[in-house]
Amino acid sequence: MSLPVLTQRFRSLWQPRRGLAIAEASVIGLVAALSAVFLKVGSGWLGTWRVHSASILPAWLALPLVGMGFGFLAGWLVQRFAPEASGSGIPQVKATLANVPMTLSWRVAAVKLISAIIALGSGITLGRQGPTVHVGAGLAAGMSRWVPTSPDHRRQMIAAGAGAGLAAAFNAPIAGVLFIVEELLQDLSGITLGTAIIASFIGGVISRLLGGGSLDLNLHLTQSLSQFSIPEIPFFLLLGVLAGFLGGLFHQGLLFSIKIYRRLHVSLPLRVALAGFISGCVVAMLPASFRDNTGLREYLITGDSNALLAAIAFVAQFLLTLVAFGSGAPGGLFAPSLILGSCLGHIVGVFESQLVGGGSPTTYALAGMGGFFSAVSKVPITAIVIVFEMTTDFNLVLPLMIVSVASYLVAEKVVPGSLYEKLLQLNGITLAANVPIEGILTTLTAKDVMQQRVETLDVDMTMDEAIQAFSRSHHRGFPIVEEGKLVGIVTQTDLLKIRDRNSPNDTAIREIMTPSPMTVTPKHNLRNVLYLLDRYQISRLPVVEGRKLIGIITRADIIRAEADHLNCDNATMGPQPEPSYVVYQTRAPSIGRGRLLVTVANPETAGTLLQMAAAIASDRHYEIECVQVILVSRHSSPTETQVRTAKSRRLLRQAEVLAKKWQIPLHTQIRVAHDVAQAILETIDERHIDLILMGWKGNTSTPGRIFGTVVDTIIRQATCDVVLVKLGNSQQSNVNSQDSRVKSKNSALNNQHSFNSWLVPMAGGPNARMAIKLLPALVTLGTDPQIRLTRVFKPSELAPDMTVLEQAIRHLIRRRKLSSTVVASPVKADSVSQGVINLVKAEGYDVVVLGASREGLLQQAIQGNIPEAIASGVESTVILVRGAINN
């Protein structure tokens, strides 16, 4: 069995299933626990070595040097191999789960794990719990790439990995689940809770076993029983208020520290080294117990009452954590929050015992841990459960609830909002609140948008018959069926590979098809479908029930569904449009390799557009389809409305004259329609159009539109190549073809435009390459045309990459043997649009050819669209090119 067959069967096997989610969550829990244990042991070993070195060498020498050296090494690892591994890691995980494109992979997890061990071993006052969450999420993200499922499934696995990391770090599996629900994913669906519970439980159990503990949740930290009485409630409320206020101050201090470090304009290794050096210097001046953060926390919880020591520890931990976290060192805030909370609780407990008597500082220290944690992270339920799981002391539940809830309410009043979201905002990332993710992609299914009429090939056909089927169709791939059941798929690429091997034409199609192709069911939502299309870089997916083929779905279908959703407000107002109706048509022999559609509406520009269409059709051996649309009221049917076609037919006769001179097959038609864009799209579909050429006025006053209502719809929904032309100011006729037959006596062609100097900005995208392929045909409209290829680069760049321009020149001169003068030179500017506009105005280019990205056309209506900005800012002709959607 061949490798492709095995790969396809593996893909088909690992479709999203509940059993798969459970198995994957189990593995994620195990791996996250192993990484947490490794982080705990590694950082503990380095910390022990650091403390021991301070007993051999003077502490004022050993601690600063170790802090600076290890800090620099940790910062260098992060900066060199994975900049995403800096800081706590929880903001990065939260952004990833909110569908913000951030790198989360095995590489990030490995760098985070090693750098966190080194950073924590240097003595900086950060914790290992945040990095453990980040590492668990990174490992889960890496595993999810092995198992191709869906975006929702991947997010659930990443959340499970993060929860397993937290559970392993704290030995608190319930807290791991709650942290997912309360902070990260905020999802209570069955599959999310199930995977989170499994991963967190396994992570917690494995961490306890390998960490030397047992399944008994009673820890030695609370060997002395905590005490609680009703009269102490005011003191716990006081502790909650203090924790909330100081937690809010701590929140603000962390953000301020980050801003201060950024003003220094130094690299990450130097920042972390500076933080390690400062921490070492300060800790060297404090009592020896401050050199071990874990030991300090245990002493404050279980040791003798010492309010002065607790106050010193609080101030030192507070300031040193700000210094360490602001540097971007790989470390978290959970452990520092717990230490600060235990210090604050110890102080209040000592105050209560001296004022009233009978209280236990241990109870206040533990309650303070939960309160300060709740104030900083804004997760009160998780804070309560973490401390409870660490102690399993039911006497702590009520004090924990009082302090944690009070501190949360005060902190939210003092500093509203999540700390993690504000950390993301400092990096320019804003998480939208209460906005449905992906909109229509999550509500529509494959059944809603699939094409039910599917052209298929029989498994017994030969390669020669398949080639003939491709030549008669505009499709680039066909499903292969046997007795109505899907058995494979064949694409043009498959045929080209076989042809290169010189295989005989009678080769059976079953030998060249891709067997057991990736499929979807009718119930898959569009987001899952789009994920699979992008994951495997394919343009179509068969829709099956069992093995029966019931439809096919392409990228174009998804984009069309999105466009229909965007236009739903307009579509639901007034009578709905009916299909257009052809009232006049002419047909020529269908002998071309493809078909070009040109829309004519304005007699003043029709002549120039037709010349462009003729030039492209001649170069590509295409037929021309010329369409004129007559609009009628939506209150009347296009099939029943009387219209006058005399003016439209006169306009189409211009095209007939030109096509006759160029000896190009020409088809014409006049359609009566409610909507111009709908009529054009129907023509594209019915006539199997490969390229459409349209006029464009260069700007629009329609709110929410980029190019105009009709053009925007064509760009979003037309599956073929699209060429938009905004003609510049009219000049005297300089248009001469290399063939004198182009000149027409028709008066509509007397008003011409110059096409002698051409500017083609390039950035290397697929549409820019399409623009280069069109140039040899278009430049025939000019006399001695001059072409300049350019690339806009920012002043901050040392030198632009000229590779794309050099490849374009080789294509034009060597492959297409273009005789025109072609030069390539970059231009420096702050923005692409302004750079091109300034260049056109300075050197007076006649034509600007732009390749536009499909994403930009759909999404830049608010942020600004480069082609629209250039077209509006220059007097020259602008040609905008967009490749076929299902390429």
Side-chain angles (χ1 to χ4, degrees):
M1 187 177 293
S2 64
L3 181 60
V5 175
L6 289 174
T7 303
Q8 291 295 334
R9 290 192 176 181
F10 176 79
R11 291 175 180 174
S12 300
L13 176 65
W14 289 93
Q15 293 288 330
R17 297 188 181 100
R18 187 174 296 273
L20 167 63
I22 294 174
E24 194 175 351
S26 302
V27 177
I28 287 171
L30 175 62
V31 175
L34 293 176
S35 65
V37 172
F38 182 70
L39 177 56
K40 177 182 178 181
V41 174
S43 60
W45 183 85
L46 279 182
T48 302
W49 176 84
R50 177 180 57 85
V51 174
H52 181 68
S53 66
S55 63
I56 299 176
L57 298 174
W60 59 267
L61 177 63
L63 296 181
L65 287 180
V66 171
M68 182 172 60
F70 281 10
F72 183 87
L73 179 58
W76 179 83
L77 285 174
V78 172
Q79 180 175 278
R80 175 67 177 82
F81 297 104
E84 305 86 356
S86 63
S88 164
I90 294 178
Q92 293 93 313
V93 175
K94 187 168 183 177
T96 301
L97 294 176
N99 289 324
V100 176
M102 299 191 73
T103 303
L104 194 61
S105 62
W106 283 340
R107 173 179 57 84
V108 174
V111 173
K112 185 75 168 191
L113 181 62
I114 297 172
S115 62
I117 290 174
I118 297 173
L120 298 178
S122 70
I124 61 175
T125 54
L126 295 176
R128 58 183 172 85
Q129 290 79 13
T132 305
V133 171
H134 197 187
V135 170
L139 294 173
M143 291 182 59
S144 68
R145 292 188 176 91
W146 272 13
V147 185
T149 51
S150 69
D152 286 334
H153 182 90
R154 183 170 185 267
R155 291 173 67 241
Q156 289 162 349
M157 292 303 105
I158 292 174
L166 184 69
F170 280 112
N171 289 332
I174 300 177
V177 177
L178 290 176
F179 187 69
I180 294 174
V181 175
E182 191 174 15
E183 176 62 27
L184 294 181
L185 203 55
Q186 298 176 351
D187 181 7
L188 290 172
S189 63
I191 187 69
T192 298
L193 281 178
T195 54
I197 291 171
I198 292 171
S200 298
F201 174 77
I202 293 177
V205 171
I206 298 298
S207 175
R208 286 180 183 274
L209 290 175
L210 298 182
S214 67
L215 294 179
D216 184 7
L217 296 179
N218 289 293
L219 303 179
H220 69 282
L221 293 178
T222 56
Q223 289 177 350
S224 58
L225 293 176
S226 59
Q227 301 175 6
F228 171 71
S229 59
I230 299 299
E232 293 180 272
I233 290 180
F235 292 95
F236 285 114
L237 287 173
L238 173 63
L239 176 57
V241 171
L242 289 175
F245 178 77
L246 293 174
L249 183 63
F250 187 67
H251 180 138
Q252 290 289 75
L254 293 171
L255 301 177
F256 179 75
S257 176
I258 294 174
K259 295 175 182 178
I260 290 295
Y261 272 104
R262 289 184 178 180
R263 292 176 186 174
L264 298 179
H265 300 292
V266 295
S267 64
L268 179 63
L270 292 179
R271 295 202 305 268
V272 182
L274 177 60
F277 178 78
I278 295 175
S279 298
C281 291
V282 174
V283 172
M285 295 185 291
L286 296 172
S289 59
F290 282 75
R291 298 169 191 174
D292 181 7
N293 290 333
T294 303
L296 175 63
R297 185 174 67 245
E298 293 178 4
Y299 174 79
L300 291 169
I301 295 173
T302 62
D304 297 332
S305 300
N306 192 332
L308 179 60
L309 178 64
I312 296 174
F314 183 88
V315 174
Q317 286 286 324
F318 193 98
L319 297 177
L320 290 180
T321 303
L322 299 185
V323 171
F325 189 81
S327 68
L333 294 172
F334 287 176
S337 298
L338 295 176
I339 293 177
L340 289 170
S342 64
C343 292
L344 186 61
H346 188 92
I347 294 171
V348 174
V350 172
F351 171 74
E352 188 274 341
S353 63
Q354 292 179 353
L355 185 65
V356 180
S360 170
T362 296
T363 305
Y364 285 89
L366 291 169
M369 289 169 59
F372 206 88
F373 185 95
S374 173
V376 173
S377 299
K378 303 292 180 68
V379 284
I381 300 177
T382 304
I384 295 169
V385 173
I386 282 180
V387 178
F388 173 73
E389 284 192 282
M390 291 172 63
T391 62
T392 64
D393 187 352
F394 283 95
N395 288 329
L396 279 174
V397 174
L398 188 56
L400 272 173
M401 293 179 65
I402 294 172
V403 176
S404 297
V405 173
S407 64
Y408 169 75
L409 295 175
V410 173
E412 187 66 20
K413 191 69 174 179
V414 174
V415 185
S418 167
L419 171 64
Y420 304 124
E421 292 185 7
K422 291 183 180 179
L423 292 174
L424 290 172
Q425 289 173 3
L426 287 178
N427 295 320
I429 299 172
T430 302
L431 303 184
N434 301 322
V435 176
I437 300 173
E438 305 278 340
I440 197 69
L441 295 182
T442 60
T443 57
L444 288 183
T445 63
K447 184 178 181 179
D448 296 326
V449 300
M450 70 180 185
Q451 303 172 34
Q452 297 184 14
R453 298 179 60 185
V454 186
E455 295 183 42
T456 62
L457 302 182
D458 191 82
V459 71
D460 295 323
M461 292 178 65
T462 64
M463 187 176 73
D464 188 45
E465 292 173 323
I467 293 174
Q468 294 179 17
F470 275 105
S471 66
R472 294 191 301 266
S473 173
H474 67 288
H475 295 307
R476 293 170 172 80
F478 286 100
I480 308 301
V481 296
E482 184 176 20
E483 297 180 355
K485 296 181 179 180
L486 180 71
V487 295
I489 196 167
V490 65
T491 65
Q492 290 179 347
T493 304
D494 297 327
L495 295 180
L496 292 174
K497 290 179 181 178
I498 295 299
R499 188 182 64 181
D500 293 339
R501 299 175 190 170
N502 296 320
S503 299
N505 289 341
D506 59 352
T507 302
I509 199 171
R510 68 168 67 245
E511 297 181 16
I512 64 175
M513 71 180 184
T514 301
S516 303
M518 176 65 69
T519 62
V520 293
T521 68
K523 296 181 180 179
H524 274 81
N525 63 40
L526 296 190
R527 188 146 64 99
N528 294 344
V529 174
L530 190 59
Y531 172 81
L532 293 175
L533 291 173
D534 291 337
R535 178 72 172 78
Y536 297 108
Q537 293 298 300
I538 52 181
S539 58
R540 66 196 62 79
L541 276 171
V543 184
V544 297
E545 282 185 339
R547 289 183 57 194
K548 181 181 179 182
L549 180 68
I550 63 172
I552 196 165
I553 187 169
T554 66
R555 294 176 186 269
D557 298 324
I558 297 176
I559 293 176
R560 188 177 298 113
E562 284 190 295
D564 292 342
H565 176 68
L566 290 174
N567 294 329
C568 64
D569 292 337
N570 293 333
T572 56
M573 295 176 60
Q576 298 300 304
E578 296 181 20
S580 60
Y581 178 70
V582 179
V583 295
Y584 171 85
Q585 66 177 355
T586 63
R587 290 288 177 261
S590 297
I591 57 176
R593 298 178 181 174
R595 198 165 288 165
L596 183 154
L597 175 65
V598 57
T599 61
V600 291
N602 186 352
E604 297 181 359
T605 60
T608 305
L609 290 178
L610 289 170
Q611 287 192 52
M612 288 185 175
I616 296 172
S618 178
D619 180 70
R620 297 190 172 193
H621 302 287
Y622 277 7
E623 305 163 15
I624 294 179
E625 183 87 27
C626 193
V627 64
Q628 227 274 339
V629 180
I630 300 176
L631 286 178
V632 296
S633 170
R634 293 199 178 191
H635 296 279
S636 58
S637 172
T639 59
E640 300 174 357
T641 304
Q642 292 185 353
V643 293
R644 297 181 179 179
T645 62
K647 292 183 179 179
S648 298
R649 282 183 288 172
R650 281 198 296 269
L651 200 56
L652 294 179
R653 275 197 287 269
Q654 294 183 27
E656 294 172 352
V657 172
L658 189 64
K660 184 176 181 181
K661 288 180 175 291
W662 281 75
Q663 298 181 357
I664 297 173
L666 175 74
H667 316 280
T668 66
Q669 59 175 289
I670 301 174
R671 286 180 177 255
V672 181
H674 289 154
D675 181 83
V676 174
Q678 177 187 338
I680 294 174
L681 291 173
E682 290 171 358
T683 305
I684 292 173
D685 183 55
E686 295 171 8
R687 300 293 293 158
H688 305 309
I689 300 299
D690 296 279
L691 185 149
I692 178 172
L693 179 68
M694 294 182 63
W696 165 42
K697 63 182 180 180
N699 53 57
T700 180
S701 58
T702 305
R705 296 292 182 177
I706 301 174
F707 304 109
T709 302
V710 175
V711 176
D712 269 15
T713 304
I714 299 302
I715 288 176
R716 284 196 301 264
Q717 300 188 37
T719 56
C720 61
D721 296 335
V722 177
V723 178
L724 301 178
V725 180
K726 187 219 79 169
L727 295 173
N729 291 334
S730 298
Q731 301 172 359
Q732 291 299 321
S733 178
N734 285 324
V735 179
N736 292 307
S737 172
Q738 294 174 349
D739 187 342
S740 61
R741 294 174 299 174
V742 175
K743 297 181 179 179
S744 174
K745 295 181 181 180
N746 193 296
S747 59
L749 298 181
N750 291 335
N751 191 12
Q752 296 288 359
H753 302 77
S754 178
F755 296 97
N756 293 326
S757 56
W758 296 69
L759 177 65
V760 187
M762 300 187 66
N767 294 317
R769 292 193 292 270
M770 178 186 167
I772 290 297
K773 292 180 181 179
L774 282 175
L775 270 181
L778 293 175
V779 296
T780 59
L781 299 173
T783 305
D784 189 23
Q786 309 289 319
I787 302 173
R788 174 177 174 177
L789 309 181
T790 189
R791 182 170 188 175
V792 179
F793 69 102
K794 293 186 177 181
S796 58
E797 298 182 35
L798 297 178
D801 185 0
M802 299 290 288
T803 304
V804 174
L805 303 184
E806 293 169 356
Q807 292 175 350
I809 289 180
R810 285 196 296 269
H811 176 83
L812 289 173
I813 296 179
R814 296 180 183 178
R815 297 184 183 180
R816 299 301 304 270
K817 297 181 181 180
L818 188 66
S819 59
S820 305
T821 303
V822 183
V823 296
S825 60
V827 60
K828 186 182 296 186
D830 291 325
S831 69
V832 174
S833 57
Q834 197 57 47
V836 173
I837 291 172
N838 293 340
L839 190 60
V840 172
K841 291 181 177 178
E843 303 192 14
Y845 287 99
D846 298 325
V847 188
V848 181
V849 183
L850 302 170
S853 69
R854 189 176 304 120
E855 290 76 15
L857 294 174
L858 286 173
Q859 300 173 1
Q860 293 182 358
I862 297 176
Q863 300 174 354
N865 185 277
I866 292 175
E868 192 275 337
I870 294 174
S872 302
V874 301
E875 301 290 334
S876 308
T877 295
V878 176
I879 300 177
L880 177 63
V881 177
R882 190 225 67 184
I885 288 178
N886 55 354
N887 276 350

